[in-house]
Amino acid sequence: MKKRIFALLMAVLMISALFAGCAKTDDAADEAVTFTVGFDAEFPPYGYIDDNGDYDGFDLALAQEVCDRLGWELVKQPIVWDSKDAELEAGNIDCIWNGFTKSPERENQYTWTVPYVDNSQVFVVRADSGIATAADLAGKTVMAQAGSSALSALEGNAELTDTFGELLEVADYNSGFMELENGTIDALAMDVGVANYQIATRGGGYVVLDEAIASEVYAVGFLLGNTETMYLVQGVLLEMAEDGTMLEIAEKYVDLGLVIDSLCLLD
């Protein structure tokens, strides 16, 4: 099945490539094509600042490989996640690529690649909190990142959120974990891959509740209608899944909490 889907998408890719204006380029034929990826620099393991002060992460590594194969120059553009739509619409970035959830609600808001990571939204609590299930959050203070899929999932589940004492927003998860550590909130809602990373790098002390808030997939989001660039990027992603490069890249970040088994393009 995977090979049939791959062959079909590659055929579409070759047709669309004939008309591709794709990423930003000047009129001069010898001007390098740049591909600007918008990402949250505080969203490890998908995008973050490493110990050398450089931008790194699984999604950025995928984007770099895509650009290398297409002969593009990658521009890593950190953005405020809550302003991602404005950045895309203004043309400041060519795509949103950083653990970006493709959901039914967002289906017609962007032009999407096929999903490449299967992920879920979960609750993280302190290990000593006594909170074991979502039902235990009744009357508690829960926090999620502004503009995140975790927040959207919670806002769409009134049956659950109506039991909370309060639902708050935070700019980034590092700040959220500080609130959790200080006891000013009781739970933090977030992507499971990011939760695993944060718990591992903080030396434990936190647990992920078994009940997922929602199941989701990650894909690359382009401005609605930008099918040319999307097909070019998607075609290379499928090549990378087929030849094992995506798995090799994922293995470099597995210790950072990325679950390799979640690479749905490999299924």
Side-chain angles (χ1 to χ4, degrees):
M1 174 61 75
K2 180 184 69 176
K3 292 183 178 179
R4 290 199 297 272
I5 294 174
F6 177 76
L8 176 61
L9 289 171
M10 285 302 293
V12 175
L13 166 65
M14 287 186 288
I15 294 172
S16 64
L18 296 175
F19 303 98
C22 62
K24 300 170 186 172
T25 181
D26 290 341
D27 292 335
D30 59 349
E31 189 72 22
V33 174
T34 61
F35 182 59
T36 304
V37 169
F39 71 101
D40 183 347
E42 298 185 17
F43 196 68
Y46 301 98
Y48 58 94
I49 301 174
D50 65 17
D51 293 338
N52 297 320
D54 299 322
Y55 296 126
D56 195 6
F58 174 64
D59 282 344
L60 294 178
L62 291 181
Q64 185 63 67
E65 180 67 19
V66 167
C67 286
D68 289 346
R69 295 192 184 197
L70 291 173
W72 294 351
E73 177 186 348
L74 175 63
V75 177
K76 303 174 183 179
Q77 180 60 54
I79 58 174
V80 176
W81 195 246
D82 202 26
S83 301
K84 58 187 178 296
D85 292 340
E87 296 282 0
L88 187 63
E89 291 167 4
N92 297 329
I93 58 176
D94 292 308
C95 69
I96 304 168
W97 193 343
N98 194 206
F100 192 28
T101 300
K102 181 180 181 180
S103 64
E105 296 77 19
R106 290 173 171 169
E107 186 73 34
N108 297 319
Q109 297 177 10
Y110 309 90
T111 290
W112 296 94
T113 64
V114 292
Y116 63 96
V117 169
D118 184 11
N119 196 33
S120 298
Q121 298 298 326
V122 297
F123 290 113
V124 177
V125 299
R126 288 173 57 121
D128 60 0
S129 67
I131 298 172
T133 68
D136 294 334
L137 294 174
K140 305 293 187 182
T141 301
V142 178
M143 180 174 279
Q145 185 184 34
S148 69
S149 53
L151 181 62
S152 297
L154 289 174
E155 290 176 337
N157 188 349
E159 184 177 353
L160 176 61
T161 55
D162 284 350
T163 68
F164 297 165
E166 195 171 13
L167 177 60
L168 303 177
E169 298 182 23
V170 67
D172 60 82
Y173 287 119
N174 286 327
S175 300
F177 266 91
M178 290 178 60
E179 300 279 0
L180 191 59
E181 182 179 356
N182 293 333
T184 52
I185 64 171
D186 300 292
L188 193 58
M190 60 200 313
D191 300 354
V192 66
V194 180
N196 291 337
Y197 166 84
Q198 291 283 359
I199 292 171
T201 57
R202 293 172 186 274
Y206 306 92
V207 295
V208 175
L209 300 188
D210 290 337
E211 301 167 74
I213 303 168
S215 296
E216 64 177 36
V217 292
Y218 285 164
V220 186
F222 295 82
L223 189 67
L224 189 64
N226 187 5
T227 55
E228 291 85 1
T229 312
M230 183 279 288
Y231 278 127
L232 287 170
V233 171
Q234 176 175 274
V236 178
L237 282 176
L238 291 168
E239 288 177 356
M240 290 162 59
E242 189 79 6
D243 65 22
T245 304
M246 185 177 290
L247 183 59
E248 290 177 5
I249 293 174
E251 287 172 339
K252 297 178 182 178
Y253 295 90
V254 68
D255 291 335
L256 302 180
L258 181 68
V259 181
I260 288 180
D261 290 342
S262 68
L263 294 178
C264 55
L265 273 177
L266 301 181
D267 295 339

